[in-house]
Amino acid sequence: MLNEILPFHFELDKITIAGASLWSLALYLAFSSVSEWVIDQLNRWFNFAERSLYTSQSEFDKTRQARESQNAFYASVFSIVPFLITGALCNWFLEFSLGPSWGISTGILACIGSGIYELGRRDGSSSD
């Protein structure tokens, strides 16, 4: 379908996309405190940038709650981008050094390990 629309042909490697996605998920789970910090910073920046678009305070306050909720959603979605880039770099390094099949297999192991770590971290923080 996409080949019919575009006048040129390009290839997407499914193994690379899967490996980078697995590594991104593993990094997102392992560094959840960093992801929360990124979400907070993006949310703060989105709210600041949107405030500059309004000239009157009353107009700004009318839809404040809805806009802040929308900005929090956008911040959580865009917080994935640094982890996608880092996961793609990890996958590229593993494919370059060990071969193409190692990116997926080590990505699965990293996802399992970081998921177990995150469950233990949350359980430990809730028992305090």
Side-chain angles (χ1 to χ4, degrees), residues 5-37:
I5 297 172
L6 298 174
F8 52 87
H9 180 69
F10 62 93
E11 180 102 14
L12 293 175
D13 188 14
K14 296 170 187 76
I15 296 172
T16 303
I17 293 172
S21 300
L22 285 169
W23 273 102
S24 299
L25 175 63
L27 293 171
Y28 191 81
L29 290 174
F31 298 109
S32 61
S33 60
V34 174
S35 68
E36 290 172 6
W37 180 81

Side-chain angles (χ1 to χ4, degrees), residues 5 9 19 28-29 31 44 47 52 57 71 77 79 101 118:
I5 297 172
H9 180 69
Y28 191 81
L29 290 174
F31 298 109
R44 193 176 78 170
N47 287 333
S52 66
Q57 185 66 29
N71 288 340
V77 169
S79 70
S101 65
E118 181 65 19

Side-chain angles (χ1 to χ4, degrees), residues 27-110:
L27 293 171
Y28 191 81
L29 290 174
F31 298 109
S32 61
S33 60
V34 174
S35 68
E36 290 172 6
W37 180 81
V38 169
I39 290 171
D40 289 339
Q41 297 305 314
L42 283 172
N43 192 16
R44 193 176 78 170
W45 185 79
F46 286 155
N47 287 333
F48 173 76
E50 192 166 24
R51 173 63 185 111
S52 66
L53 298 175
Y54 290 89
T55 55
S56 70
Q57 185 66 29
S58 63
E59 184 181 338
F60 176 72
D61 289 335
K62 274 195 270 185
T63 59
R64 183 177 195 153
Q65 185 178 6
R67 283 182 290 100
E68 286 180 352
S69 298
Q70 183 180 12
N71 288 340
F73 171 73
Y74 287 149
S76 65
V77 169
F78 287 130
S79 70
I80 301 168
V81 172
F83 294 99
L84 284 173
I85 293 169
T86 310
L89 288 173
C90 289
N91 185 58
W92 175 80
F93 178 73
L94 280 170
E95 284 186 358
F96 179 72
S97 61
L98 297 175
S101 65
W102 284 94
I104 292 178
S105 60
T106 56
I108 291 171
L109 288 173

